Amino acid sequence: MTARRIDVVTIPGDGIGPDLVAGAVAVMHAAARHVGVDLDIEPIDAGAAVFRATGSAFPADRLDRLRTADGVLKGPVGLPEVRHPDGTEAGVLGGILRTGLDTYANVRPVRLMPGITGATRHAPGEIDYVIVRENTEGLYLSRGNGVATTEAAVDQLMVTRVGVERVARHAFELARGRPGAPVDGVRRVTCVDKSNVLRSYALFRSVFDTVAAQYPDIAAEHLYADAAAHDLVVRPERFDVLVMENFLGDILSDLGAGTVGGLGMCASGNIGDHAAYFEPIHGSAPDIAGTDRANPISQILSAALLFDHVGLGDAGDLIRAAVVGALGEATLRIGSDGCPVGGTAAAVAEIVRRIDA
């Protein structure tokens, strides 16, 4: 019987990206072997270094290649010195890939794992929720389109009915497949907004309520963004799935990461109806590139999400179990500086060893 083949495109990126992606690919191969799947891997160079060399961060003719792949694994991109004349960062891919592939749901799991000391009083098992961030509109739709003089600047925040409908639906479908909030087991979707201040957020809330009515089996609630920031620190155990506009999701997902050991512990997926790509939520950390110090967990857990997306949840579960087991038994430890004790390569090897065991 011929083994199933999975077509994966990788974007190694900048800084620590190539090392992280290489490590995640090694883990993916181990998990794929275990479930009887073959991987075809094709790398595409993109990011700040490519922008510096060519004037474009991503080859425009390669977007179709990403659409035809079963999944895309992207490393962090960006270099601090690579800038546009207006001072904004060049070489990043968020706007190019999210809008170009219409990956409207940015899914960011936030989970405190064994062996990790978070920044709050909570224990492993008490923080386990997912932020679903609308990925193609909101405030970030103004990227590169704002109006500015030396005295004033303006950017627009746009929300559409169809945009909110589809990301809210994604959040409710995700909640249906989860065990519920740690504190009470309730499958719950929380709409986070500032509808008491801005009309755009009032529309977001109104459309969310329309979608929520179609999911009577899932609890639905509202929370203002400032209150959400408070509760994600003080009582994160009551959250299951949260859905919000792009800008708010960017901020609150980083806040959540701070409670579970930092950005290096958090994966993400950018998911649309016809394409998806998966990436860590941290930057390219060029200051530690090539030093064998980068934490590979975020990249590796992103690879697990890729497997989930292509219908290989067993492979994704193998990866997550290996990470949790290594951390829980302290065969993989993360130091106070956020770096793996013993180095990146040793951390990857330990996760591969557990999958192969």
Side-chain angles (χ1 to χ4, degrees):
M1 185 182 211
T2 303
R4 179 182 174 187
R5 302 194 73 85
I6 302 298
D7 174 30
V8 176
V9 171
T10 62
I11 301 174
D14 301 304
I16 59 176
D19 288 343
L20 295 187
V21 170
V25 167
V27 171
M28 290 177 71
H29 277 299
R33 286 193 302 269
H34 197 84
V35 299
V37 170
D38 292 331
L39 297 181
D40 292 325
I41 306 289
E42 178 188 351
I44 292 179
D45 289 331
V50 172
F51 180 91
R52 186 164 51 193
T54 68
S56 173
F58 188 84
D61 60 345
R62 302 312 303 275
L63 272 178
D64 283 341
R65 176 67 186 95
L66 302 191
R67 294 187 186 98
T68 62
D70 292 314
V72 178
L73 184 67
K74 172 187 165 295
V77 300
L79 295 170
E81 72 275 14
V82 180
R83 301 275 170 173
H84 292 294
D86 65 0
T88 58
E89 191 173 7
V92 294
L93 301 179
I96 296 171
L97 298 186
R98 290 169 186 169
T99 57
L101 299 174
D102 198 27
T103 52
Y104 56 83
N106 181 220
V107 178
R108 297 190 169 191
V110 178
R111 179 186 180 191
L112 180 58
M113 287 181 278
I116 300 297
T117 301
T120 71
R121 56 180 170 76
H122 296 90
E126 293 181 334
I127 303 178
D128 187 356
Y129 59 83
V130 180
I131 287 179
V132 180
R133 163 187 168 189
E134 201 293 317
N135 218 15
T136 59
E137 43 185 62
L139 186 58
Y140 286 175
L141 189 61
S142 284
R143 186 195 303 263
N145 296 315
V147 177
T149 70
T150 57
E151 303 300 323
V154 61
D155 296 295
Q156 287 187 318
L157 192 166
M158 188 177 81
V159 165
T160 69
R161 180 171 295 276
V162 67
V164 181
E165 282 178 345
R166 63 186 187 173
V167 77
R169 191 168 294 111
H170 191 95
F172 279 98
E173 291 291 338
L174 184 62
R176 275 184 170 168
R178 285 177 49 82
V183 72
D184 56 14
V186 173
R187 292 183 173 93
R188 178 185 295 115
V189 178
T190 305
C191 175
V192 178
D193 59 54
K194 282 299 289 183
S195 58
N196 57 330
V197 177
L198 299 176
R199 290 178 176 177
S200 54
Y201 287 127
L203 176 62
F204 195 105
R205 177 178 290 211
S206 173
V207 176
F208 169 86
D209 286 344
T210 299
V211 175
Q214 302 167 25
Y215 292 86
D217 54 317
I218 306 296
E221 66 175 10
H222 309 107
L223 202 59
Y224 293 138
D226 42 350
H230 173 276
D231 286 359
L232 286 171
V233 172
V234 174
R235 49 177 190 159
E237 65 274 9
R238 69 170 306 278
F239 292 107
D240 182 19
V241 177
L242 304 93
V243 63
M244 61 199 74
E245 177 268 337
N246 206 333
F247 175 65
L248 295 181
D250 195 5
I251 294 172
L252 293 183
S253 58
D254 276 24
L255 181 150
T259 68
V260 297
L263 299 177
M265 307 303 297
C266 297
S268 78
N270 301 273
I271 301 170
D273 293 333
H274 305 292
Y277 68 97
F278 301 85
E279 61 180 341
I281 71 172
H282 57 70
S284 64
D287 57 319
I288 62 169
T291 65
D292 194 40
R293 292 176 56 209
N295 182 354
I297 290 177
S298 179
Q299 190 80 60
I300 289 169
L301 293 178
S302 296
L305 291 177
L306 187 156
F307 275 140
D308 294 341
H309 181 72
V310 301
L312 293 174
D314 288 350
D317 288 342
L318 273 174
I319 293 173
R320 282 182 288 268
V323 171
V324 169
L327 291 171
E329 295 175 20
T331 56
L332 167 56
R333 294 182 293 118
I334 304 301
S336 59
D337 58 356
C339 299
V341 176
T344 307
V348 170
E350 171 59 15
I351 293 168
V352 169
R353 183 191 70 79
R354 285 178 173 267
I355 293 171
D356 285 339

